[in-house]
């Protein structure tokens, strides 16, 4: 089954009664009342993602482009089980809420033998920062000075705005404050705030939690957590099993501290956690320069992260998420590893889309829930026709190294079907490309494709025609084969299910029947991380089938 309407979940908070009403969920009204938030798309081979108002600043390699994971789940089932399913209940019982993803039971200290060093963040256009609010100026000072902490046997590393307290060997954490300073600068730019020069935040990175609790550094009244938790200007986190995920968790909690001071804690939990996940997804190059908000390239450079794999597993088992799901979910239900994976993808989608990204950048600067709602209501409603379909397409196609610059779905103005032959050129160097033809439900059309393209262009490129070549397969289809997809404009934001992303292997000649009023999209099959070395196009004639 699939969901077009959102039915009971949509109705439960729109009428002011039931479990979804109340202040924490008022943000949902802008979604299901027809609000068109903003979406996202993509970057270069493991591209560094930036808010869409400065797409080029950080568009560099997040990790080398070779040996990427290419498996995608095109054939996911359509129904997402109830959120009270056994796995969710078990993880809620484990008190996972507010904790980043990836449960890795045993940490290996030897995994930290070659620590990476941080560097300066990529420069971005400076904005006139608003003065820090009173909530920043009144943050309490740490209870103990660095000297007092060292006297207790802890290791302390300080930077201008960060104090790190740990019982781990310094070699495992020495670069974290420098990396945190770089992220702090990025967050100030993106969220349009200025962190007070004399204000330090404190992070506790713990191997033995007992020693932190006995010395009062881990408060007795702090709710339990699996990986990390923040409160005020402090955060606490446990040692992680890989160097990457230790770094990721540190940046995740730091992002919470910087961006959620004051009333921002009232913002939707999916939005808050997605923001922290997105900025924490990082890459440090060989020169020690960090990049934040990256779309991972090679899995081995992001050991312990696992977001894309979780999304693909959910799709394969019929548990894909609609665009609205991440804003509908309650803070007490947001608890599983999958929730964090989908929240990351939601922010990736919203922040990077070339059309909707600028509206999303404005949303980041909201200081209160009221600001958030007002900014959301002012988004450009004329440019949201494809929000839901684009979201479902990206969630199905996402993979390590996904080329957000080239693989993003390309749209063109919609034309009503005129029962006349139409010719479209389909590039091998792009993702899904709209024909612009809105075909009425039940109408059968015929495709005739010709031409040849070069794939994996090297000294001996692979040459393909529309039927494809069997030298390699991508997404379960022959490389170079012409593929088709019916995209639905103005699809409800609560829609989800594999039927909305079904891929049809069209080849050289195909007969297609529109399942509902839909626009025909075409692409030349290749891995979504490997489009840059392609060239050429197919010429496709589209005409109504004559009985």
């Amino acid at each position: 089954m699939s969901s077009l309407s959102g039915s009971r979940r949509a109705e439960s908070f729109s009428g002011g009664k039931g479990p979804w009403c109340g202040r924490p969920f008022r943000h949902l009204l802008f979604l299901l009342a027809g609000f068109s938030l903003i979406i996202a798309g993509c970057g270069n081979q493991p591209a560094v993602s930036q808010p869409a108002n400065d797409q080029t600043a950080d568009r560099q390699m997040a990790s080398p482009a070779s040996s990427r994971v290419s498996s995608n789940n095109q054939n996911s089932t359509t129904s997402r089980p109830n959120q009270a399913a056994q796995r969710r209940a078990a993880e809620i019982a484990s008190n996972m809420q507010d904790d980043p993803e990836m449960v890795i039971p045993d940490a290996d200290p030897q995994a930290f033998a070659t620590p990476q060093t941080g560097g300066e963040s990529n420069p971005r256009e400076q904005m006139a920062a608003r003065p820090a609010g009173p909530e920043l100026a009144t943050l309490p000072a740490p209870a103990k000075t660095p000297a007092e902490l060292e006297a207790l046997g802890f290791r302390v590393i300080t930077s201008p705005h960060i104090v790190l307290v740990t019982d781990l060997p310094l070699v495992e954490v020495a670069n974290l404050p420098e990396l945190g300073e770089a992220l702090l600068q990025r967050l100030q730019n993106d969220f349009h705030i200025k962190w007070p020069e004399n204000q330090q935040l404190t992070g506790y990175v713990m191997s033995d939690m007992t020693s932190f609790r006995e010395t009062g550094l881990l408060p007795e009244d702090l709710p339990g957590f699996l990986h990390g938790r923040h409160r005020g200007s402090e955060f606490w986190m446990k040692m992680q099993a890989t160097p990457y995920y230790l770094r990721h968790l540190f940046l995740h909690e730091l992002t919470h501290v910087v961006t959620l001071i004051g009333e921002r804690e009232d913002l939707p939990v999916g939005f808050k956690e997605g923001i922290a996940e997105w900025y924490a997804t990082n890459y440090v190059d060989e020169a020690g320069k960090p990049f934040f908000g990256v779309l991972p390239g090679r899995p081995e450079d992001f050991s312990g992260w696992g977001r894309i794999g979780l999304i693909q597993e959910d799709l394969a088992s019929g548990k894909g998420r609609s665009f609205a799901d991440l804003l509908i979910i309650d803070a007490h239900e947001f608890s599983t590893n999958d929730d964090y994976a989908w929240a990351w993808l939601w922010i990736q989608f919203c922040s990077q889309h070339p059309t909707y990204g600028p509206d999303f950048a404005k949303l980041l600067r909201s200081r209160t829930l009221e600001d958030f709602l007002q900014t959301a209501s002012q988004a450009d409603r004329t440019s949201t026709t494809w929000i839901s379909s684009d979201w479902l397409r990206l969630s199905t196609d996402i993979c390590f190294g996904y080329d957000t610059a080239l693989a993003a779905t390309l749209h063109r103005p919609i034309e009503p079907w005129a029962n006349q032959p139409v010719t479209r050129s389909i590039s091998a160097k792009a993702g899904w490309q709209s024909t612009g033809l809105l075909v009425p439900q039940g109408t059968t059309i015929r495709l005739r494709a010709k031409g040849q393209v070069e794939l994996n262009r090297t000294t001996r490129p692979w040459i393909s025609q529309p039927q494809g070549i069997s030298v390699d397969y991508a997404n379960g289809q022959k490389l170079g084969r012409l593929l088709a997809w019916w995209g639905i404009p103005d699809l409800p934001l609560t829609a989800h299910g594999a039927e909305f992303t079904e891929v049809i292997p069209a080849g050289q000649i195909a007969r297609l029947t529109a399942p509902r009023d839909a626009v025909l999209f075409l692409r030349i099959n290749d891995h979504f991380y490997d489009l840059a070395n392609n060239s050429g196009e197919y010429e496709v004639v589209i005409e109504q089938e004559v009985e």
Side-chain angles (χ1 to χ4, degrees):
M1 295 178 61
S2 61
S3 171
L4 264 175
S5 66
S7 60
R8 295 181 180 177
R9 295 188 72 192
E11 296 168 2
S12 63
F13 59 81
S14 61
K17 296 181 180 181
W20 297 105
C21 62
R23 191 175 189 216
F25 301 99
R26 287 184 295 165
H27 60 277
L28 302 176
L29 297 178
F30 75 81
L31 267 177
L32 301 171
F35 168 67
S36 54
L37 191 59
I38 32 258
I39 316 180
C42 335
N44 291 356
Q45 316 265 35
V48 171
S49 301
Q50 276 280 8
N53 58 352
D54 189 7
Q55 292 270 341
T56 60
D58 266 0
R59 184 165 286 153
Q60 301 182 26
M61 299 286 283
S63 64
S66 60
S67 62
R68 298 190 178 101
V69 171
S70 61
S71 62
N72 287 306
N73 291 302
Q74 298 282 3
N75 299 317
S76 61
T77 55
T78 59
S79 176
R80 180 183 169 207
N82 188 287
Q83 292 183 345
Q86 291 184 353
R87 182 176 62 171
R88 179 178 294 279
E91 290 184 319
I92 290 175
S94 299
N95 196 22
M96 291 183 64
Q97 59 264 32
D98 206 14
D99 294 312
E101 192 260 270
M102 295 311 295
V103 180
I104 308 175
D106 298 313
D108 177 12
Q110 297 304 315
F112 295 80
T114 309
Q116 294 176 306
T117 58
E120 297 180 353
S121 61
N122 204 43
R124 301 192 64 224
E125 181 180 354
Q126 294 295 316
M127 298 177 287
R130 65 191 176 198
E135 68 274 12
L136 293 180
T138 57
L139 286 175
K144 292 181 173 60
T145 66
E148 292 172 328
L149 292 169
E150 290 175 345
L152 291 172
F154 297 104
R155 300 173 182 86
V156 181
I157 309 173
T158 62
S159 63
H161 302 99
I162 299 169
V163 176
L164 186 150
V165 182
T166 186
D167 58 348
L168 297 176
L170 287 179
V171 68
E172 298 175 10
V173 296
N175 67 315
L176 294 182
E178 182 182 5
L179 194 64
E181 292 285 348
L183 178 57
L184 176 59
Q185 182 60 49
R186 169 74 180 273
L187 294 173
Q188 290 185 93
N189 290 344
D190 289 359
F191 286 81
H192 205 202
I193 61 173
K194 182 174 176 57
W195 187 265
E197 289 299 325
N198 61 349
Q199 176 70 55
Q200 285 184 306
L201 58 88
T202 304
Y204 303 93
V205 183
M206 305 174 291
S207 175
D208 178 14
M209 295 178 64
T210 302
S211 60
F212 284 83
R213 190 172 297 280
E214 289 176 347
T215 54
L217 299 180
L218 182 60
E220 293 289 344
D221 63 344
L222 189 71
F225 57 93
L226 186 63
H227 289 286
R229 188 172 291 278
H230 76 282
R231 186 165 70 183
S233 62
E234 297 177 296
F235 65 87
W236 297 261
M237 55 175 281
K238 299 177 183 179
M239 178 184 179
Q240 299 298 303
T242 68
Y244 172 79
Y245 205 70
L246 180 73
R247 194 168 74 232
H248 181 100
L249 183 57
F250 178 85
L251 297 174
H252 178 110
E253 297 300 334
L254 183 147
T255 299
H256 276 324
V257 169
V258 174
T259 62
L260 296 181
I261 291 296
E263 292 187 57
R264 288 185 60 87
E265 288 281 7
D266 290 339
L267 298 183
V269 63
F271 178 82
K272 295 186 298 185
E273 295 297 341
I275 287 292
E277 276 299 289
W278 189 76
Y279 280 99
T281 306
N282 70 94
Y283 179 72
V284 180
D285 66 16
E286 293 180 355
K289 183 176 183 179
F291 299 91
F292 309 106
V294 306
L295 204 161
R298 301 186 309 184
E300 57 265 36
D301 291 330
F302 298 83
S303 178
W305 183 70
R307 306 304 190 263
I308 290 174
L310 289 171
I311 290 169
Q312 292 174 339
E313 290 173 7
D314 276 357
L315 290 171
S317 57
K319 294 183 291 185
R321 311 282 179 100
S322 73
F323 181 82
D325 278 342
L326 265 296
L327 294 183
I328 291 173
I329 191 169
D330 173 83
H332 295 291
E333 286 191 325
F334 191 102
S335 58
T336 69
N337 294 343
D338 303 47
D339 291 331
Y340 286 92
W342 286 98
W344 162 79
L345 185 64
W346 197 88
I347 298 299
Q348 169 68 25
F349 175 72
C350 290
S351 64
Q352 298 305 298
H353 197 282
T355 303
Y356 315 111
D359 283 330
F360 183 79
K362 297 175 185 176
L363 202 63
L364 292 181
R365 301 168 193 170
S366 304
R367 297 188 60 152
T368 65
L369 181 60
E370 287 69 26
D371 287 346
F372 184 93
L373 293 171
Q374 182 177 4
T375 302
S377 68
Q378 295 171 349
D380 183 1
R381 300 188 183 209
T382 65
S383 61
T384 59
T385 298
W386 292 103
I387 280 186
S388 189
S389 286
D390 278 359
W391 161 255
L392 297 177
R393 187 74 266 163
L394 176 66
S395 64
T396 302
D397 295 340
I398 192 67
C399 60
F400 278 92
Y402 182 95
D403 190 332
T404 58
L406 297 178
T409 300
L410 300 179
H411 295 282
R412 62 188 299 162
I414 296 176
E415 306 172 18
W417 178 249
N419 195 20
Q420 296 292 329
V422 175
T423 301
R424 293 286 186 260
S425 296
I426 305 301
S427 172
K429 204 169 185 175
W432 289 105
Q433 300 154 64
S434 172
T435 64
L437 302 174
L438 181 61
V439 181
Q441 181 178 3
T443 300
T444 299
I445 62 174
R446 181 172 63 170
L447 306 183
R448 292 183 289 111
K450 65 180 181 179
Q452 68 179 30
V453 296
E454 292 185 357
L455 306 173
N456 194 30
R457 190 173 190 181
T458 59
T459 54
R460 298 183 63 184
W462 296 337
I463 306 299
S464 179
Q465 294 180 342
Q467 65 270 25
I469 53 178
S470 57
V471 66
D472 191 12
Y473 283 73
N475 313 299
Q477 300 291 339
K478 290 181 179 180
L479 206 67
R481 190 178 185 91
L482 181 69
L483 304 178
W485 160 56
W486 292 107
I488 303 173
D490 297 313
L491 188 66
L493 300 180
T494 52
H496 62 86
E499 67 187 68
F500 302 120
T501 57
E502 180 183 2
V503 173
I504 305 165
Q508 191 169 20
I509 300 175
R511 295 174 68 255
L512 308 176
T513 301
R516 51 180 62 86
D517 293 353
V519 172
L520 178 66
F521 287 76
L522 301 171
R523 72 177 291 255
I524 297 172
N525 190 39
D526 198 356
H527 302 286
F528 286 100
Y529 57 74
D530 204 22
L531 302 176
N533 57 9
N534 296 346
S535 64
E537 59 188 25
Y538 294 154
E539 184 178 278
V540 183
V541 177
I542 308 162
E543 56 191 348
Q544 186 156 350
E545 177 74 358
V546 178
E547 296 294 339

